[in-house]
Amino acid sequence: MWKFLKEMPKVELHAHLNGSLNTNSLQDLAEKVYGNTSEEFSHLCARFVNFEKDSNLDKCFEKFAFVHELTSTAAGLQYATELVIRDFANDNIQYLELRTTPKANKNYLRRDYLRIVLDTIKRSRKKYPNILVKLLPSINRSEPVAVAEETVALALEFAKTDPDLVVGIDLSGIPTKGKFTDFCGALDLARREGLKLVIHCAEIDNPPEIKEMLSFGMSRCGHGTYLTEEDFAQMKAANIPIECCLTSNVKSGSVSSFEEHHLKRLMESDAPRVVCTDDSGVFDTSLTNEFLLVVETFNVTRDQCIDLTLEAVKHSFASEQERQQMALKVEHYVNSLQTD
Ligand SMILES: CNc1ncnc2c1ncn2[C@@H]1O[C@H](COP(=O)(O)O)[C@@H](O)[C@H]1O
Ligand SMILES: [Zn+2]
C-alpha cells in the first residue's frame, strides 16, 4: 500500500511554505545558508517535531517562530522554497498549491518576499519538471488589517504579471486572534479581482465566526473541524470542499483521534473533501503518509485513493488544461498498475 500511495501522482492543495520544512531540510538550510552544523541545532530540530500528548494549537504556533528565523534572510527564504518544492516533488506530488504569508523585516519587504518565492518557483521548474507549483499569498489574521490590504494588493500585482502562478488568497493564522469581519473588505477585493479564496474556518469552536465565514463564502475550506452537520450540508450544496489535514488536526489537539476525524462523515455523506498535509514539516508527515492514515483508519480502498486524488484535481485552482493533464497522469498511473 505504501508503494502504491507513494507512487500515486498526488495533488496537494493545503501546504504552508514555512510549515512544510522538515527536519532534514531545516538542517540543510541551517548548514548551507548559515553554516550551522552544531549539535545544538540538531537538538532544536528534534524538539521541533516532538509533540507532547496534551499539545494544542498555541504550542504549534510557537514552533513556526523557529522556522521563521531561518527564512528571515533572502537567501534563507529562497533556499527554503527550493527545499519545500524538492520535498514535495520527492513525494510524487504532481501539483502543489503553496501558501505563504509575505513578511517584512530588515532583510526584505513584503514585495521582495513574494518576488523571492515566485522567482524560486519559476527557477525550480527545470530542476523539478514533474511538479507544477502555484502560489497563494496568505493573510495572517493576527496582523493588522492594513497588512492584509497590502498582501492583497501585492497578490493582485503579481497575479497580473504571473496569472498562471498566483491563483488565490489564504486566510490563516492563530484562529483566536483577529476578527474575521475586519478582513472581509480585503478578501472581497481579492475575490472581485479574480483570485480564489481559501479560508481557515472552524479550526476552533466559534459558531458566530463560522456563520460569518460561511455566508461570506470561499472556494475551499481549510479544516472545517467544528462545522455542524447543517454546515456540512451547506458546504456540500455549494460544492465547497473541506481540506482535511488529519495529522495536523490530531497533533494540534483540535480533533481527538484519527478515528474521530470529520473526514469519515464527509466520506459517508459523499460531501466534497480533499486530503492535505497543512504543515508537513511541523507535523512530521507527508501526503503519502496522510493517505496511509486515511486508508488505515477508515478502510479506504486503492480506488477510493485514486478518486480522492481526482477530486483534488477537480478542486484545484489550475487551468482547465492543467487539470486535464493532471487527471491524465492519474489515469496513466492506474493503467500502469493493471499491466504490472
Ligand atoms: C495548524 N493550523 C494552522 N492554522 C492556521 N494557520 C496556520 C496553520 N498552520 C500554519 N498556519 C499559518 O502559516 C504560517 C506558516 O507558514 P508561512 O510562514 O505562511 O509560510 C503560520 O505562521 C500560520 O500563520
Ligand atoms: Zn493551514
Side-chain angles (χ1 to χ4, degrees):
M1 187 49 100
W2 175 265
K3 186 170 181 285
F4 164 77
L5 295 172
K6 172 93 184 174
E7 290 177 0
M8 183 167 68
K10 295 171 287 296
V11 169
E12 170 66 80
L13 300 183
H14 186 144
H16 300 269
L17 173 57
N18 279 276
S20 300
L21 283 157
N22 59 38
T23 43
N24 284 338
S25 294
L26 287 173
Q27 289 190 359
D28 272 5
L29 182 60
E31 199 177 318
K32 292 235 172 67
V33 179
Y34 305 98
N36 184 350
T37 53
S38 69
E39 235 176 75
E40 192 195 344
F41 187 79
S42 303
H43 287 312
L44 283 175
C45 285
R47 263 210 350 240
F48 173 71
V49 293
N50 187 22
F51 276 80
E52 310 289 324
K53 280 233 150 40
D54 63 337
S55 189
N56 55 36
L57 270 172
D58 289 340
K59 288 188 186 158
C60 298
F61 280 100
E62 283 167 17
K63 290 178 186 271
F64 292 116
F66 176 61
V67 193
H68 286 152
E69 244 177 76
L70 289 170
T71 56
S72 64
T73 63
L77 177 63
Q78 182 189 315
Y79 193 46
T81 308
E82 191 184 324
L83 289 172
V84 165
I85 295 172
R86 176 196 73 178
D87 292 341
F88 278 110
N90 286 342
D91 194 34
N92 280 315
I93 307 300
Q94 60 157 321
Y95 176 85
L96 166 66
E97 280 179 20
L98 199 58
R99 341 173 155 198
T100 194
T101 321
K103 297 164 192 71
N105 61 30
K106 64 178 187 336
N107 299 314
Y108 47 62
L109 302 172
R110 289 191 181 84
R111 176 182 278 105
D112 306 327
Y113 184 102
L114 281 180
R115 166 73 37 229
I116 292 165
V117 174
L118 277 171
D119 285 347
T120 311
I121 292 174
K122 287 185 196 170
R123 243 181 303 105
S124 300
R125 284 177 186 153
K126 235 196 202 144
K127 204 164 175 187
Y128 306 104
N130 294 328
I131 182 168
L132 177 64
V133 184
K134 308 272 179 188
L135 184 68
L136 288 81
S138 296
I139 292 172
N140 182 346
R141 56 183 293 164
S142 307
E143 289 183 316
V145 173
V147 174
E149 287 166 351
E150 186 187 343
T151 299
V152 167
L154 289 170
L156 292 172
E157 180 186 320
F158 284 110
K160 278 218 173 75
T161 47
D162 288 295
D164 57 329
L165 245 171
V166 181
V167 290
I169 283 277
D170 164 51
L171 178 75
S172 53
I174 303 175
T176 49
K177 296 272 166 72
K179 199 160 150 256
F180 171 67
T181 46
D182 289 347
F183 297 101
C184 287
L187 290 168
D188 195 43
L189 173 67
R191 181 162 57 187
R192 277 186 281 119
E193 293 291 325
L195 292 177
K196 305 281 188 192
L197 295 186
V198 284
I199 296 185
H200 281 65
C201 167
E203 205 175 359
I204 57 167
D205 194 12
N206 182 351
E209 180 180 273
I210 293 171
K211 216 165 160 220
E212 284 157 10
M213 286 181 167
L214 296 199
S215 73
F216 181 78
M218 60 196 84
S219 291
R220 294 196 310 256
C221 168
H223 302 300
T225 316
Y226 286 90
L227 293 179
T228 61
E229 291 308 317
E230 232 173 71
D231 298 332
F232 279 139
Q234 189 182 331
M235 299 302 246
K236 185 181 172 186
N239 194 27
I240 298 170
I242 312 292
E243 298 163 345
C244 293
C245 312
L246 274 75
T247 301
S248 162
N249 293 157
V250 170
K251 283 198 176 172
S252 67
S254 54
V255 170
S256 55
S257 68
F258 294 126
E259 290 75 18
E260 300 290 315
H261 198 279
H262 43 293
L263 174 61
K264 183 167 187 246
R265 279 178 289 148
L266 292 166
M267 303 238 340
E268 281 166 359
S269 61
D270 201 23
R273 69 268 142 158
V274 286
V275 176
C276 313
T277 54
D278 203 14
D279 300 290
S280 52
V282 171
F283 298 118
D284 193 18
T285 188
S286 64
L287 196 53
T288 296
N289 190 51
E290 293 301 296
F291 268 99
L292 190 67
L293 279 170
V294 170
V295 165
E296 289 179 345
T297 313
F298 304 120
N299 288 320
V300 162
T301 64
R302 288 182 179 213
D303 283 353
Q304 284 174 302
C305 291
I306 294 290
D307 288 346
L308 280 165
T309 301
L310 290 172
E311 193 170 352
V313 169
K314 201 175 75 191
H315 289 294
S316 74
F317 301 149
S319 70
E320 183 56 39
Q321 198 193 358
E322 288 166 338
R323 276 185 275 152
Q324 278 172 13
Q325 279 166 358
M326 285 190 252
L328 211 59
K329 271 198 187 173
V330 178
E331 198 185 307
H332 285 163
Y333 180 60
V334 173
N335 291 340
S336 76
L337 295 171
Q338 280 153 2
T339 54
D340 262 358

